[in-house]
Amino acid sequence: MLVGFSFSLKAQDIPMYEYYNTKTHLHFYTTSATELGSGGNGWVQNGILGYVEAYPANQVNPIYRYYQSTSGAHYYTITPNAVPDGFVYESIIGCAAAPPIAVLTEVYEFFNSSNGDYYYSTSTTVPSGYKLNGGKFYVTND
């Protein structure tokens, strides 16, 4: 079951920043504005994917972030019992609230088997070299 985020921003809603590494061609998502800052070491901030609820303000439906040291890739999920092999728990980056809510944008997961990258987008357009894995969760856009 997919989960969603609240209809309108509340005080505990925070942005989910998207980064892309121009050297490794990997993607990274965080709700911390200081974790990668303005980038560096190949990382470029691509903007905000959407907004999530702060953790632990809402401890329902956390979004877990996992890391694979061999590829450097990250994986994001709301179902921690369905993590690809080789990924280890890193942190919780925010929380989801259950739909149905009027204005939500679905986030789709794509996988690139050549470099192990997981890419998340609100578009269903499949990037070159990636395979669509389906919808994973929802964000609000403002």
Side-chain angles (χ1 to χ4, degrees):
M1 176 175 110
L2 295 177
V3 294
F5 298 98
S6 60
F7 169 70
S8 60
L9 291 179
K10 298 181 292 299
Q12 68 268 27
D13 286 348
I14 53 177
M16 182 183 228
Y17 301 101
E18 176 184 338
Y19 288 85
Y20 175 73
N21 192 302
T22 58
K23 296 177 183 178
T24 63
H25 306 289
L26 297 174
H27 291 86
F28 180 76
Y29 302 85
T30 181
T31 52
S32 169
T34 59
E35 189 167 6
L36 289 183
S38 59
N41 205 22
W43 290 104
V44 177
Q45 187 183 31
N46 284 344
I48 296 172
L49 178 65
Y51 293 84
V52 299
E53 291 186 30
Y55 181 84
N58 170 9
Q59 295 185 23
V60 178
N61 299 317
I63 300 170
Y64 299 90
R65 183 171 73 196
Y66 292 84
Y67 176 70
Q68 185 182 57
S69 61
T70 55
S71 66
H74 286 84
Y75 180 76
Y76 304 81
T77 184
I78 57 170
T79 54
N81 59 345
V83 176
D85 290 340
F87 282 82
V88 295
Y89 172 79
E90 199 172 59
S91 66
I92 293 174
I93 64 167
C95 293
I101 298 174
V103 181
L104 296 175
T105 302
E106 191 166 12
V107 174
Y108 300 94
E109 179 184 281
F110 300 88
F111 178 66
N112 182 324
S113 60
S114 67
N115 68 357
D117 183 41
Y118 286 88
Y119 169 61
Y120 298 83
S121 176
T122 56
S123 169
T124 57
T125 302
V126 180
S128 177
Y130 287 80
K131 177 187 90 166
L132 175 63
N133 284 347
K136 297 300 175 178
F137 52 87
Y138 292 93
V139 295
T140 59
N141 289 324
D142 55 335

